[in-house]
Amino acid sequence: MLRERLGVDFATARNRVWETDDFIYLPVVVNHKRGDTIERDTIMFALGSDFLVTLQPDGPFTLFDKAVAKMRRNPALTGSPHGVMYALLWALNEESERVIHYASDALEAMNDDIEMATNGYDRRGREIGVADMRGTMSRMNAAEQIVSRVQETQLQLARAARHLMADTRGGDLDGLIAILIADMDGVKQHAGFEHDKVRYLQQSVMTWLDVKQNQIVKVFTIITAVFLPPTLIATFYGMNFTWMPELEWQHGLLATTVMTLVAAVIPLVYIKRKGWLR
């Protein structure tokens, strides 16, 4: 119907920047917050000289409510399709900023978990294990995905805004669009800062996991070093020799027991002096 009545052909554009004699098609993949989840949808703009057509998801699409309110405050924007598209891009940029703040709050909430993991104990005084951090790692990966997608969205928004500025041909909107492009770059920089933060937190958790695993390996190594000499002594006395003089000694059992204990204490003292128990 759009193709027949208005000449708009979204099917041929196929989510790519495409120009015809009458329209320029600009796709933008947006991230928006719905409840406690972040959803991702593609919006297609068909910008012409007389009107603007958008292809957006079915159902109520509340992202553009801010754009409608902005056009009510500034009715001059409704005088051209370029003004309407400026308002829509502005609303999408505001939503990206909102999503970034959501991801930032999620990362701040993880700081306490990571700090507790670094200390080794939770609020109840229970030692934190590797399995206890799986939920935190999962939330951290989700936050990184959100931030990375916002960075991609900001690149597409800035591209659409630059095409919009070029199509206005030095009109009154140039100043507003220039400010909008700067705001988009600011949101992109904010997303980059949050991306660096989540990478730092991920590195902190991975370092803690490495330390935790090294501690586990160290414990088993110390146990092996302490019990290996007594095990060797026990192996000798488990052999089927026909003559063992220790069996005829009056204090043979005591001597063997003391020798076993000394064999266990010597490596333990050595390990302690080396500081490997710390």
Side-chain angles (χ1 to χ4, degrees):
M1 179 181 293
L2 287 175
R3 184 175 182 179
E4 295 174 355
R5 295 180 57 184
L6 304 177
V8 178
D9 189 4
F10 286 117
T12 305
R14 292 181 300 180
N15 293 335
R16 60 189 172 94
V17 177
W18 185 50
E19 292 191 44
T20 63
D21 294 338
D22 300 319
F23 294 96
I24 177 172
Y25 297 86
L26 298 167
V28 176
V29 180
V30 298
N31 306 278
H32 55 100
K33 188 172 181 293
R34 190 188 298 270
D36 293 330
T37 61
I38 301 299
E39 298 184 1
R40 186 173 171 86
D41 293 301
T42 300
I43 300 176
M44 195 73 179
F45 295 93
L47 178 63
S49 58
D50 298 324
F51 51 85
L52 172 70
V53 181
T54 62
L55 180 64
Q56 59 199 48
D58 295 334
F61 197 65
T62 58
L63 285 186
F64 290 154
D65 290 347
K66 288 185 177 181
V68 174
K70 188 175 185 66
M71 287 185 284
R72 287 174 179 169
R73 293 192 304 269
N74 187 1
L77 294 176
T78 61
S80 68
H82 301 85
V84 175
M85 184 169 179
Y86 160 78
L88 297 181
L89 292 179
W90 174 84
L92 295 180
N93 185 63
E94 290 294 309
E95 184 63 20
S96 291
E97 179 71 15
R98 183 186 177 204
V99 171
I100 283 296
H101 281 297
Y102 171 82
S104 178
D105 292 341
L107 292 176
E108 288 296 330
M110 297 176 201
N111 281 333
D112 295 337
D113 295 338
I114 295 174
E115 184 177 358
M116 284 190 301
T118 304
N119 295 331
Y121 297 91
D122 59 13
R123 295 182 180 87
R124 296 175 295 177
R126 185 174 61 89
E127 185 174 359
I128 297 177
V130 176
D132 297 327
M133 295 301 296
R134 289 178 181 172
T136 301
M137 288 294 295
S138 178
R139 295 195 304 272
M140 201 176 302
N141 292 337
E144 181 187 16
Q145 186 181 48
I146 291 172
V147 172
S148 299
R149 287 178 172 178
V150 170
Q151 288 179 308
E152 179 185 357
T153 294
Q154 292 310 109
L155 291 174
Q156 295 179 359
L157 284 174
R159 179 185 62 188
R162 287 193 295 269
H163 279 283
L164 176 62
M165 176 178 285
D167 204 57
T168 57
R169 301 179 181 88
D172 297 335
L173 289 173
D174 282 359
L176 293 176
I177 298 175
I179 295 175
L180 177 60
I181 293 176
D183 289 342
M184 291 174 177
D185 184 66
V187 175
K188 180 177 177 293
Q189 292 180 6
H190 187 187
F193 171 77
E194 296 298 333
H195 190 267
D196 292 340
K197 182 193 294 186
V198 70
R199 284 304 181 101
Y200 168 76
L201 293 176
Q202 286 176 331
Q203 186 63 38
S204 299
V205 173
M206 293 305 298
T207 301
W208 173 81
L209 290 175
D210 291 339
V211 171
K212 189 72 175 179
Q213 291 176 349
N214 289 337
Q215 288 177 341
I216 295 173
V217 173
K218 183 178 70 173
V219 169
F220 281 104
T221 302
I222 292 174
I223 293 175
T224 302
V226 170
F227 284 96
L228 183 59
T231 302
L232 182 62
I233 294 174
T235 302
F236 280 121
Y237 284 97
M239 297 180 183
N240 295 323
F241 288 116
T242 57
W243 180 66
M244 300 182 68
E246 297 89 340
L247 299 179
E248 299 177 359
W249 295 353
Q250 181 179 358
H251 302 290
L253 176 61
L254 179 61
T256 303
T257 302
V258 171
M259 182 175 60
T260 303
L261 292 176
V262 170
V265 170
I266 289 176
L268 184 60
V269 172
Y270 178 80
I271 290 171
K272 186 175 181 180
R273 291 187 60 182
K274 286 293 185 178
W276 296 347
L277 292 177
R278 294 194 297 269

